[in-house]
Amino acid sequence: MKDVTMADVADRAGVSKSTVSAVINDKDIVRDDTRERVWEAINELDYRPSGSARRGFSASSEKSIGFVIKETRNPYYSEVLTGIREVAAANGYLTFVCSSEGRFEEEKEIVKQFSNKDLSGLIITPILKDDTDLSHIFELKRKNIPFVLLEGVKGLRASIVDIDNVQASSEAAKHLIELGHEHIVHFAGPAYSDHSQKRVEGVRRAFSESHLAYTPDMKVEVGDSFEAGYERGLEYFGSLPVDERPTGVTCYNDLTALGLMKALRELGIAVPDEVSVVGFDDLDILEYFPVALTTVQVPKYEMGHRATEILLQRIESGRSQMSEQVSLEAELVNRNSTAPPSG
Amino acid sequence: MKDVTMADVADRAGVSKSTVSAVINDKDIVRDDTRERVWEAINELDYRPSGSARRGFSASSEKSIGFVIKETRNPYYSEVLTGIREVAAANGYLTFVCSSEGRFEEEKEIVKQFSNKDLSGLIITPILKDDTDLSHIFELKRKNIPFVLLEGVKGLRASIVDIDNVQASSEAAKHLIELGHEHIVHFAGPAYSDHSQKRVEGVRRAFSESHLAYTPDMKVEVGDSFEAGYERGLEYFGSLPVDERPTGVTCYNDLTALGLMKALRELGIAVPDEVSVVGFDDLDILEYFPVALTTVQVPKYEMGHRATEILLQRIESGRSQMSEQVSLEAELVNRNSTAPPSG
DNA sequence: CGAATGTATCGAATCGGTTCGACTGTTTTC
DNA sequence: GAAAACAGTCGAACCGATTCGATACATTCG
């Protein structure tokens, strides 16, 4: 691409840049035949106005924020996004979304492009590995671009809106314990994820607080998708003698819980009669299902609201470096995928 | 916001713009104490580099496309998006998404902002009313910004990737007719939507080709959401004597079909024994459900692929004004929400 | 017919950064 | 101890558009 500029068009049409500019912006001060000539030149050269070179103007006056997510297919993000949009739109901001699909390099690239595109601020669901390189986040700090995270990052002072995952997950496990379950496992999320680690920790805490033994095989590595829940579910419950089966499972999230329930259905294991299942997130789509999933209700809309409020305040006050941590309440909703163990 | 500029920072720190620039871009040619001073000035003034003023550089070399959707919450878009992403990412492009939530004014604003942010091209699911003002689309043409539509627009020559909605919807209705159903209704989508109109037309065509009478009350105005399907379903089937109930329903999309199925469940009407239900889209989430929905399988990934291929070709060839219409195959998948009428 | 008015176009300044050659000191080298 | 190398900083040009006062020519009016 040779990057055609306005001057090239002007040359070609035998006019000045100002005239070309007038034509493109549809001002009615150009003579018809001149306009024609300019259009021809534009089309022949396939000229595209640079957009970012339009200074004093659009760039700074256009209000927009970016939302970086980890996965396109998980409705969780759509729901948080809905909350974000509500506040953003009410304040005249547009919300642009981009997903890293779990790839860290992509997250970096996204943040970089967002910050070059003159967005007013960013809300990020960060990918975290143990050795995470935070250069792109520091770049935001350097450029004073306000941002809010939806998951904590070790060693980074920043604004964070999240729930208390340990506490919430522990409640989920306690629910099963209180129902009388004695053999419980946890279908855990991706090992590197902060949320997943905390939810595992929550289960462990529930056990210890209830004076039950927690053994490593109570944690089953699964993942965060429906497919993962389904496949691991089939594998796990398919290979276990009936009397060794757990009677209760807490899952990393609703998607894995739904996958597990499908597996159980196919294996002819009844929920909740033979196995109780607890999810996490309380996705809106749960409402679509015949069997109502007991789950942890994460205040997704509210997370979106709060994150956006903080972000906008940061943007509009010009105090982009403040940092504020918000921890929202997540509580268990008891529906009918859980019951006391049979027999 | 007073819009602090680099010159302000330079002044405040008692250095030149070039030095400030060097500091911000982390060049290691600046003396430590100078760097300090500049940082102080930056923070005190809450200076944010303009981003769009960074010419020759980022703007033109960053590869990115935009995707404008109508609704955040419909998984349909996530699936098309997945297709788009696959092709885009393979070619080094990032995909930014923004939803108009069905509001036309917002669609215009989105397109405008996208075109000011120097994206290489756009894929748009346009909102269409009868009197639609296409000025934002023409603006794209004027600026030679390549775009592809995922729904036809009357009176606009442009690249379009879509399925044959009339044909596909007619197949859905014929499926019920062939099973022997004689009393069929169509749960229709939003009246102004092009897709909805075509799907109604498809049902009408199926009837006439099967020599059945089509009467206006076979079309029930419903909408495009799960909630709409649920509420209208409750209302419609709740108020009808058993012998006047239709035995088959084709729905505008899967979401309304799922809503309807929930309503039927609550009314104690069995699917497919008492009522057959056909959806449209074949969302991936259908797989999560115990009852497999018979539906029209829209090649969502492929639509994303094709649209993106066309877009990228347009972008990279510099022939931004070509137009190409692609109509993909959508076929019925027969699962178990449909059966011959009982009795 | 000369002055006033109007129309179409141009040229130059501008926007907020980046880049790069030039200009000081300071340190190294022989 | 003078020449060469090196650091650190500056100033000016530049990127690709927009804006606006200046200009040139045509038309209208008194």
Side-chain angles (χ1 to χ4, degrees), chain A residues 53-163:
Chain A
R54 175 186 317 217
R55 197 137 323 71
F57 205 28
S58 45
S60 63
S61 72
E62 285 176 355
K63 300 159 91 179
S64 55
I65 62 177
F67 182 29
V68 184
I69 67 178
K70 288 194 276 195
E71 206 196 336
T72 303
R73 311 289 296 287
N74 192 335
Y76 174 81
Y77 298 104
S78 309
E79 297 177 28
V80 176
L81 172 58
T82 301
I84 292 176
R85 270 190 49 90
E86 283 167 4
V87 175
N91 288 277
Y93 283 77
L94 244 38
T95 308
F96 295 94
V97 183
C98 195
S99 166
S100 61
E101 296 301 309
R103 261 169 257 115
F104 183 64
E105 284 310 311
E106 209 155 327
E107 174 178 310
K108 282 172 67 171
E109 179 66 17
I110 292 168
V111 170
K112 186 182 139 214
Q113 286 214 19
F114 263 139
S115 65
N116 284 161
K117 288 196 195 305
D118 264 327
L119 277 80
S120 316
L122 257 44
I123 296 176
I124 305 175
T125 314
I127 295 173
L128 304 165
K129 310 229 153 121
D130 292 336
D131 56 341
T132 299
D133 149 36
L134 261 24
S135 59
H136 57 308
I137 303 288
F138 285 121
E139 174 109 4
L140 292 178
K141 292 198 142 193
R142 279 200 285 131
K143 296 196 176 167
N144 275 331
I145 297 174
F147 65 96
V148 176
L149 303 179
L150 292 180
E151 195 162 332
V153 176
K154 280 186 222 114
L156 183 65
R157 220 179 61 101
S159 289
I160 297 167
V161 173
D162 203 349
I163 58 163

Side-chain angles (χ1 to χ4, degrees), chain B residues 96-129:
Chain B
F96 295 94
V97 184
C98 195
S99 166
S100 62
E101 296 301 309
R103 262 170 257 115
F104 183 63
E105 284 310 310
E106 210 154 328
E107 174 178 309
K108 281 172 67 172
E109 180 67 17
I110 292 168
V111 170
K112 186 184 139 212
Q113 287 214 19
F114 262 140
S115 66
N116 283 161
K117 288 194 193 306
D118 264 325
L119 278 81
S120 316
L122 257 43
I123 296 176
I124 305 175
T125 315
I127 295 175
L128 305 165
K129 310 229 154 119

Side-chain angles (χ1 to χ4, degrees), chain B residues 131-161:
Chain B
D131 57 342
T132 298
D133 148 36
L134 260 25
S135 58
H136 58 308
I137 302 290
F138 284 120
E139 175 109 4
L140 291 177
K141 292 198 139 191
R142 278 201 284 134
K143 295 196 175 164
N144 275 331
I145 297 174
F147 64 96
V148 175
L149 303 179
L150 293 180
E151 194 161 335
V153 176
K154 280 186 222 112
L156 184 65
R157 220 179 61 101
S159 290
I160 297 168
V161 173

Side-chain angles (χ1 to χ4, degrees), chain B residues 182-223:
Chain B
E182 293 181 335
H183 188 179
I184 299 171
V185 299
H186 176 65
F187 269 33
Y192 54 80
S193 144
D194 175 65
H195 277 177
S196 176
Q197 289 167 13
K198 288 194 169 137
R199 291 177 196 175
V200 170
E201 175 56 27
V203 174
R204 187 175 291 139
R205 187 198 282 180
F207 273 66
S208 90
E209 286 179 8
S210 306
H211 308 294
L212 293 177
Y214 179 91
T215 60
D217 59 345
M218 284 169 167
K219 169 178 143 195
V220 184
E221 302 272 3
V222 177

Side-chain angles (χ1 to χ4, degrees), chain B residues 5-200:
Chain B
T5 155
M6 196 172 227
D8 299 331
V9 177
D11 264 11
R12 172 81 114 133
V15 299
S16 73
K17 287 199 298 171
S18 353
T19 307
V20 177
S21 176
V23 170
I24 289 185
N25 295 301
D26 236 0
K27 313 240 181 204
D28 49 351
I29 56 164
V30 184
R31 221 194 310 143
D32 283 353
D33 60 320
T34 312
R35 185 199 311 283
E36 284 288 313
R37 218 149 18 95
V38 172
W39 273 122
E40 266 171 43
I42 289 179
N43 288 327
E44 283 165 14
L45 297 166
D46 194 55
Y47 163 67
R48 284 172 221 171
S50 141
S52 60
R54 176 184 318 216
R55 196 135 325 70
F57 205 29
S58 44
S60 63
S61 72
E62 285 176 355
K63 299 160 91 178
S64 55
I65 62 176
F67 182 30
V68 184
I69 66 177
K70 289 195 276 194
E71 207 195 337
T72 303
R73 311 287 296 287
N74 192 335
Y76 174 80
Y77 297 104
S78 309
E79 297 176 28
V80 176
L81 173 57
T82 300
I84 292 175
R85 270 191 49 91
E86 283 167 5
V87 175
N91 288 277
Y93 284 77
L94 244 38
T95 308
F96 295 94
V97 184
C98 195
S99 166
S100 62
E101 296 301 309
R103 262 170 257 115
F104 183 63
E105 284 310 310
E106 210 154 328
E107 174 178 309
K108 281 172 67 172
E109 180 67 17
I110 292 168
V111 170
K112 186 184 139 212
Q113 287 214 19
F114 262 140
S115 66
N116 283 161
K117 288 194 193 306
D118 264 325
L119 278 81
S120 316
L122 257 43
I123 296 176
I124 305 175
T125 315
I127 295 175
L128 305 165
K129 310 229 154 119
D130 293 336
D131 57 342
T132 298
D133 148 36
L134 260 25
S135 58
H136 58 308
I137 302 290
F138 284 120
E139 175 109 4
L140 291 177
K141 292 198 139 191
R142 278 201 284 134
K143 295 196 175 164
N144 275 331
I145 297 174
F147 64 96
V148 175
L149 303 179
L150 293 180
E151 194 161 335
V153 176
K154 280 186 222 112
L156 184 65
R157 220 179 61 101
S159 290
I160 297 168
V161 173
D162 203 351
I163 57 163
D164 183 340
N165 280 275
V166 177
Q167 155 72 19
S169 173
S170 135
E171 251 185 65
K174 274 190 193 150
H175 168 65
L176 291 181
I177 295 171
E178 281 162 13
L179 282 173
H181 290 272
E182 293 181 335
H183 188 179
I184 299 171
V185 299
H186 176 65
F187 269 33
Y192 54 80
S193 144
D194 175 65
H195 277 177
S196 176
Q197 289 167 13
K198 288 194 169 137
R199 291 177 196 175
V200 170

